[in-house]
Amino acid sequence: MKKFDKEVYLKWYEDMLFWRKFEDKLAAVYIQQKVRGFLHLYNGQEAVAAGCLHAIDPTKDKMITSYRCHVHPIGLGVDPKRIMAELYGKGTGTSLGLGGSMHIFSKEHHFYGGHGIVGGQIALGAGLAFADKYFNREAVTLTFMGDGAVRQGAFHETMNMAMLWKLPVVFIVENNHYAMGTSVERTANHVDIWKLGLGYQMPCQPVDGMHPETVAEAVYEAVERARRGEGPTLLDIRTYRYRGHSMSDAQHYRTKEEVEEYKKQDPITNVLAVIKEKKYATDAELEAIDERVKERVAECEKFAEESPYPETHIMYDVVYDQENYPFLPSRL
């Protein structure tokens, strides 16, 4: 794994700042009803994605996650303009405007969703890992989920099979302490989610998710273990989301004081503190990064605003692979 040097910290800062501002813009246009449906934002959890991306080989390793899925594909190289266009429902989006916020997808960039069913991606992630092992591709799949998803039966079935078959998969719980509005304390008799791996004799551990360094170290160790053929790992990465579960969440289940306390551990602020302490960038250079981020977000918004909506026939053409499918009524 590459050292945490000046280049890495500056990349982390610019990437995480862009992810934050990109989603802040989404929140703003959502209020204007330019983005519809559900919108689940990642604010506060950026160190998890940044650390994971540093630890993997993006040319072959894969990611699959739940519906809080805008940041991961950007990190893997998907054009953020197309992601914003997808949320606008435009034809230039990653799924031709038909998927929306919860279903970002890019096989080209090894990002396999974006899944709206809670826990639905867990078994699929193991399936991707099974295929990689079967075809000797030496790739590892990072399978992300929230703390609420570990209460699904599919989680436990997948953990069992992953260990039985020694699949090259890393199960990552982005533990932001709340499953929608339900705290971890209310869903089980213990709060140490990582201990669920013990029952399967799976390597498992808690991880500080507010610093990309700690995430990168833990994920790299797990990825290398999987690449050596030693099987899966369960990581309980403790993070926090500053916004609600979705834009429609009134957040009555937590206090403003709690949120403000966690904001003191903001991952972007943590990285910026290291940059300043080690004098990796001057104030002018940091201002230039801020300006670049603003310009990129503005470009994404402009692209989404000006892109056309998909043609009506697209909704039908992408359902069936076979043309002139015999059981379809005449097309509208």
Side-chain angles (χ1 to χ4, degrees):
M1 182 175 65
K2 186 178 179 181
K3 293 180 179 179
F4 305 141
D5 55 15
K6 173 182 176 179
E7 179 186 355
V8 169
Y9 276 100
L10 290 177
K11 176 174 173 50
W12 275 343
Y13 177 68
E14 185 161 350
D15 283 350
M16 291 197 294
L17 187 63
F18 174 70
W19 300 339
R20 178 76 59 85
K21 298 301 182 183
F22 179 88
E23 291 206 316
D24 285 346
K25 176 56 68 174
L26 287 177
V29 296
Y30 185 89
I31 293 172
Q32 299 170 33
Q33 296 189 339
K34 294 179 179 179
V35 170
R36 304 294 184 92
F38 289 104
L39 180 63
H40 307 86
L41 302 178
Y42 203 66
N43 297 45
Q45 300 182 208
E46 292 90 353
V48 181
C52 288
L53 288 162
H54 185 78
I56 67 172
D57 181 349
T59 65
K60 60 183 179 182
D61 295 332
K62 302 175 176 65
M63 288 186 177
I64 185 170
T65 189
S66 65
Y67 39 73
R68 206 177 299 277
C69 63
H70 313 137
V71 167
H72 303 78
I74 295 175
L76 285 171
V78 178
D79 187 344
K81 294 196 292 293
R82 294 193 64 209
I83 293 176
M84 188 168 285
E86 182 62 37
L87 272 82
Y88 269 69
K90 298 298 183 72
T92 53
T94 54
S95 297
L96 307 179
L98 305 179
S101 172
M102 296 194 285
H103 302 286
I104 309 300
F105 187 94
S106 176
K107 182 180 178 182
E108 176 190 357
H109 294 91
H110 305 135
F111 183 72
Y112 289 83
H115 294 268
I117 303 299
V118 174
Q121 77 280 8
I122 300 173
L124 297 178
L128 291 168
F130 179 87
D132 285 333
K133 182 172 183 175
Y134 186 84
F135 291 109
N136 298 311
R137 290 194 281 240
E138 296 186 354
V140 177
T141 298
L142 302 191
T143 299
F144 296 86
M145 69 202 78
D147 45 272
V150 302
R151 312 308 175 193
Q152 297 282 343
F155 169 81
H156 297 276
E157 294 169 2
T158 303
M159 294 273 282
N160 181 57
M161 288 191 291
M163 277 301 290
L164 183 64
W165 297 333
K166 294 295 185 284
L167 298 182
V169 58
V170 182
F171 298 108
I172 295 176
V173 181
E174 295 190 273
N175 183 355
N176 57 36
H177 308 291
Y178 294 98
M180 296 185 69
T182 304
S183 66
V184 174
E185 289 89 344
R186 294 181 60 198
T187 63
N189 66 341
H190 68 82
V191 297
D192 294 318
I193 290 174
W194 64 273
K195 290 182 179 178
L196 295 175
L198 298 176
Y200 304 95
Q201 297 184 358
M202 182 185 295
C204 51
Q205 68 182 85
V207 181
D208 174 4
M210 303 307 279
H211 295 82
E213 305 94 330
T214 53
V215 174
E217 289 167 351
V219 173
Y220 180 77
E221 181 182 343
V223 166
E224 289 304 298
R225 182 185 298 119
R227 230 185 285 284
R228 291 192 299 267
E230 297 173 14
T233 301
L234 173 64
L235 299 177
D236 174 7
I237 302 185
R238 278 87 182 273
T239 182
Y240 198 81
R241 54 173 165 79
Y242 298 142
R243 292 184 180 270
H245 171 73
S246 70
M247 286 293 290
S248 59
D249 180 6
Q251 306 185 58
H252 295 310
Y253 50 86
R254 62 181 181 179
T255 64
K256 291 181 179 179
E257 289 75 20
E258 177 184 304
V259 177
E260 290 304 314
E261 194 62 31
Y262 271 100
K263 283 186 177 180
K264 295 176 184 177
Q265 307 173 45
D266 192 308
I268 298 175
T269 303
N270 289 338
V271 168
L272 182 59
V274 174
I275 291 172
K276 289 184 175 181
E277 178 188 350
K278 297 190 178 242
K279 296 182 170 55
Y280 284 158
T282 63
D283 289 342
E285 289 169 331
L286 291 172
E287 288 176 11
I289 290 175
D290 294 350
E291 195 57 38
R292 277 200 304 273
V293 165
K294 290 178 184 176
E295 290 174 0
R296 286 184 69 197
V297 172
E299 288 172 3
C300 292
E301 182 184 18
K302 184 174 187 291
F303 179 82
E305 293 274 3
E306 296 178 353
S307 291
Y309 287 103
E311 297 290 335
T312 303
H313 70 83
I314 294 293
M315 291 187 288
Y316 300 90
D317 291 346
V318 298
V319 175
Y320 296 96
D321 183 60
Q322 178 184 342
E323 291 187 18
N324 301 317
Y325 189 71
F327 303 105
L328 277 179
S330 58
R331 202 170 269 158
L332 296 178

